[in-house]
Amino acid sequence: MLLTADYHTHTPYSHGKNTILENAAVAKAKGLKEIAITDHGFNHLLFGLKRKNISAVRSEINEAEKLTGVRVLLGMESNLISVDGDADMRKSDLKNFDIFLCGIHEVVRYKSFSDMYKIFIKNYAAYKFGKKPSDKVIENTTKAYINTIKNNPVDILTHINYKCYCNIKEVAKCCADYGTYIEINTKKRHVSAEELNIMAETGVRFVIDSDAHSADRVGDTKIAEEILSQAEVPLDRIDNVDGRLPKFRFAEYKIKNL
């Protein structure tokens, strides 16, 4: 299995160590055709991308493409911020980006205290104390994921079930219906082989992403290979390996709506 593209990498514009050019250079050395720069979303209280820096990010991306020949997409790992399906990438922001990732994170400004309590506090408490989350926690998290996918042209759902708990089958069904990919993240173990099989039964498609916070990890596939070796998901369900590139819904949305 050879990775064709890595759609989840970070830079010093949020929580990464290396520049856009350094990420792209490693991608070139590893034979990748394209990468995405997806720094943390605007509502991340510690490491969020600043709107005032978007033009600078775009300039560095253009330079990196010229110097490496690797296609570099400007994206963001947006934050899910409400049970009703709000994200911190607003409609007015969409024109500035090429790809739209979204996930659940800590230290985020939620739409309301109720949303923070239902999505973050209850999930984190269950994770922190190693307890099985209640059915209500799972229901609220599932609802938040599904509403976000329905309300936003999300290309990739990042590290599903990491420090949060949802009905992965129902979320995967929604992703399959709306054309959103589920990420197999190689920075953290967020799903088991069994969970991957359950999601695959819905027809959802996957991408493998490094979630690299340093350039040396761009294109890394180790954890994904380990999980896939234990699962029953064929490689043709993963759209950024072996020369293939995904067809993202955000690109189609921009053509029709922006």
Side-chain angles (χ1 to χ4, degrees), residues 20-21 23-26 28 63-72:
I20 294 169
L21 176 57
N23 284 4
V26 171
K28 180 180 181 180
E63 184 68 11
E65 286 186 326
K66 289 178 184 177
L67 294 174
T68 65
V70 174
R71 186 184 182 210
V72 182

Side-chain angles (χ1 to χ4, degrees), residues 10-17 39-40 44 47-48 187 212-214:
H10 294 271
T11 75
Y13 284 105
S14 65
H15 195 206
K17 295 180 180 179
D39 283 303
H40 289 291
H44 198 295
F47 306 116
K187 182 175 184 286
H213 284 61
S214 59

Side-chain angles (χ1 to χ4, degrees), residues 160-171:
I160 187 173
N161 256 20
Y162 181 68
K163 296 185 181 180
C164 59
Y165 304 91
C166 68
N167 183 323
I168 57 171
K169 187 170 185 177
E170 291 304 311
V171 175

Side-chain angles (χ1 to χ4, degrees), residues 1-234:
M1 179 181 71
L2 295 174
L3 201 66
T4 308
D6 187 347
Y7 295 110
H8 190 170
T9 75
H10 294 271
T11 75
Y13 284 105
S14 65
H15 195 206
K17 295 180 180 179
N18 294 98
T19 65
I20 294 169
L21 176 57
E22 288 169 331
N23 284 4
V26 171
K28 180 180 181 180
K30 292 185 177 181
L32 275 63
K33 294 182 179 179
E34 59 187 32
I35 64 169
I37 303 301
T38 51
D39 283 303
H40 289 291
F42 300 122
N43 281 32
H44 198 295
L45 297 175
L46 297 179
F47 306 116
L49 176 67
K50 303 293 189 293
R51 286 182 173 85
K52 66 181 181 180
N53 289 333
I54 292 175
S55 61
V57 176
R58 178 65 76 183
S59 295
E60 288 190 35
I61 280 175
N62 292 340
E63 184 68 11
E65 286 186 326
K66 289 178 184 177
L67 294 174
T68 65
V70 174
R71 186 184 182 210
V72 182
L73 304 178
L74 173 51
M76 188 173 79
E77 188 184 11
S78 181
N79 298 294
L80 186 161
I81 61 170
S82 82
V83 174
D84 290 335
D86 295 286
D88 60 356
M89 189 187 289
R90 304 171 189 158
K91 287 188 177 180
S92 58
D93 295 315
L94 297 179
K95 63 183 182 297
N96 298 315
F97 293 89
D98 307 315
I99 186 171
F100 190 159
L101 280 63
C102 191
I104 294 177
H105 296 88
E106 303 171 53
V107 202
V108 166
R109 184 173 66 254
Y110 284 87
K111 189 174 182 180
S112 70
F113 178 80
S114 175
D115 290 308
M116 182 176 71
Y117 181 76
K118 291 175 181 178
I119 298 170
F120 170 64
I121 294 175
K122 297 294 286 184
N123 271 299
Y124 188 74
Y127 168 81
K128 187 70 174 177
F129 295 105
K131 294 182 178 180
K132 185 180 185 299
S134 69
D135 291 343
K136 191 63 177 178
V137 170
I138 293 172
E139 179 186 340
N140 282 330
T141 310
T142 302
K143 187 183 298 184
Y145 272 129
I146 288 174
N147 286 338
T148 299
I149 294 161
K150 288 180 176 179
N151 293 346
N152 303 273
V154 176
D155 290 318
I156 301 171
L157 202 62
T158 63
H159 47 67
I160 187 173
N161 256 20
Y162 181 68
K163 296 185 181 180
C164 59
Y165 304 91
C166 68
N167 183 323
I168 57 171
K169 187 170 185 177
E170 291 304 311
V171 175
K173 282 181 182 177
C174 185
C175 286
D177 288 343
Y178 281 81
T180 295
Y181 286 89
I182 288 181
E183 174 186 81
I184 305 173
N185 187 294
T186 69
K187 182 175 184 286
K188 48 184 73 90
R189 291 182 181 273
H190 61 107
V191 291
S192 65
E194 181 182 359
E195 289 171 328
L196 202 61
N197 288 338
I198 290 170
M199 291 190 289
E201 290 174 358
T202 69
V204 73
R205 303 191 71 81
F206 302 94
V207 292
I208 295 172
D209 285 331
S210 69
D211 193 358
H213 284 61
S214 59
D216 61 297
R217 286 205 60 259
V218 171
D220 175 68
T221 60
K222 183 179 178 181
I223 288 177
E225 290 182 31
E226 291 173 357
I227 295 172
L228 287 165
S229 71
Q230 302 164 15
E232 299 174 357
V233 180

